Amino acid sequence: MAGGVAPLVELLKAGLSDNRVEAQEYSLWSLSVTTDPLRCKNMVEEGCIPALIQSLRDGKLREDSKEHAAMVLASLAIESVYLEEIVRNGAITQLVELLTAEHTTMGAKKQAALGLARLTHHGSETQILIAEEGAITPLVQWLRDPAAGPSAVAAFALSELARDNHAA
């Protein structure tokens, strides 16, 4: 995939600008298999984060493509240097929506929960934003009913949300 990240991000952006959903979906699928740190850095430098979030916000993607977008966000959220940009561009709202949307795939739910768990490392303000967006209720529901979402991921996400929270 040498040199492949920049054209894929450009394809995502072009698909967003002229409503070519297929271009967005191909790009998201291709980017979702790109996990090494150098390529992730290249994605961010090419402006991938706002485009990823916009693709979710627009609501035109098939369910499997939403999973790919969430997977890319969750992968990028591993690196603390990208957390600010991910949060600033509105990822929390989009990821929480994936937790609760009726037809969301289990894979998309899992990736959304992982992404939110990783975003908690941005600080207590982000933990509060995630809670205020409504992430806690569906995650707790997953613990009660694993058919609603992956319970192990829910437990992890909830533990990260509560980490270092000393509120009374």
Side-chain angles (χ1 to χ4, degrees), residues 81-92:
V81 295
Y82 308 138
L83 296 178
E84 170 67 29
E85 185 174 356
I86 293 169
V87 171
R88 185 174 20 87
N89 279 281
I92 293 171

Side-chain angles (χ1 to χ4, degrees), residues 47-101:
C48 187
I49 291 172
L52 282 168
I53 297 165
Q54 183 183 346
S55 71
L56 287 169
R57 188 179 299 122
D58 286 353
K60 298 175 185 172
L61 299 174
R62 292 185 323 229
E63 295 307 314
D64 61 327
S65 295
K66 291 176 185 176
E67 180 178 341
H68 298 144
M71 186 181 301
V72 176
L73 283 170
S75 292
L76 293 175
I78 292 171
E79 297 294 330
S80 61
V81 295
Y82 308 138
L83 296 178
E84 170 67 29
E85 185 174 356
I86 293 169
V87 171
R88 185 174 20 87
N89 279 281
I92 293 171
T93 300
Q94 301 311 310
L95 293 173
V96 171
E97 285 181 15
L98 288 175
L99 297 181
T100 59

Side-chain angles (χ1 to χ4, degrees), residues 22-163:
E22 299 84 11
Q24 295 172 54
E25 291 178 336
Y26 176 78
S27 174
L28 291 168
W29 174 79
S30 298
L31 291 169
S32 73
V33 297
T34 304
T35 57
D36 73 77
L38 180 58
R39 289 191 176 129
C40 287
K41 180 181 179 208
N42 292 341
M43 276 192 261
V44 173
E45 289 171 350
E46 294 294 328
C48 187
I49 291 172
L52 282 168
I53 297 165
Q54 183 183 346
S55 71
L56 287 169
R57 188 179 299 122
D58 286 353
K60 298 175 185 172
L61 299 174
R62 292 185 323 229
E63 295 307 314
D64 61 327
S65 295
K66 291 176 185 176
E67 180 178 341
H68 298 144
M71 186 181 301
V72 176
L73 283 170
S75 292
L76 293 175
I78 292 171
E79 297 294 330
S80 61
V81 295
Y82 308 138
L83 296 178
E84 170 67 29
E85 185 174 356
I86 293 169
V87 171
R88 185 174 20 87
N89 279 281
I92 293 171
T93 300
Q94 301 311 310
L95 293 173
V96 171
E97 285 181 15
L98 288 175
L99 297 181
T100 59
E102 186 176 337
H103 299 291
T104 302
T105 66
M106 277 296 187
K109 288 180 178 188
K110 175 183 175 183
Q111 294 302 322
L114 285 173
L116 290 167
R118 291 171 179 160
L119 289 175
T120 64
H121 294 266
H122 188 254
S124 60
E125 298 84 13
T126 302
Q127 290 171 306
I128 292 167
L129 287 171
I130 293 169
E132 289 175 347
E133 281 293 329
I136 293 173
T137 300
L139 292 170
V140 170
Q141 179 60 31
W142 295 5
L143 294 175
R144 292 186 186 134
D145 179 13
S151 57
V153 176
F156 172 68
L158 287 166
S159 71
E160 291 299 295
L161 277 165
R163 183 182 39 80

Side-chain angles (χ1 to χ4, degrees), residues 3-12 27 46:
V5 172
L8 290 170
V9 174
E10 285 307 311
L11 181 62
L12 176 59
S27 174
E46 294 294 328

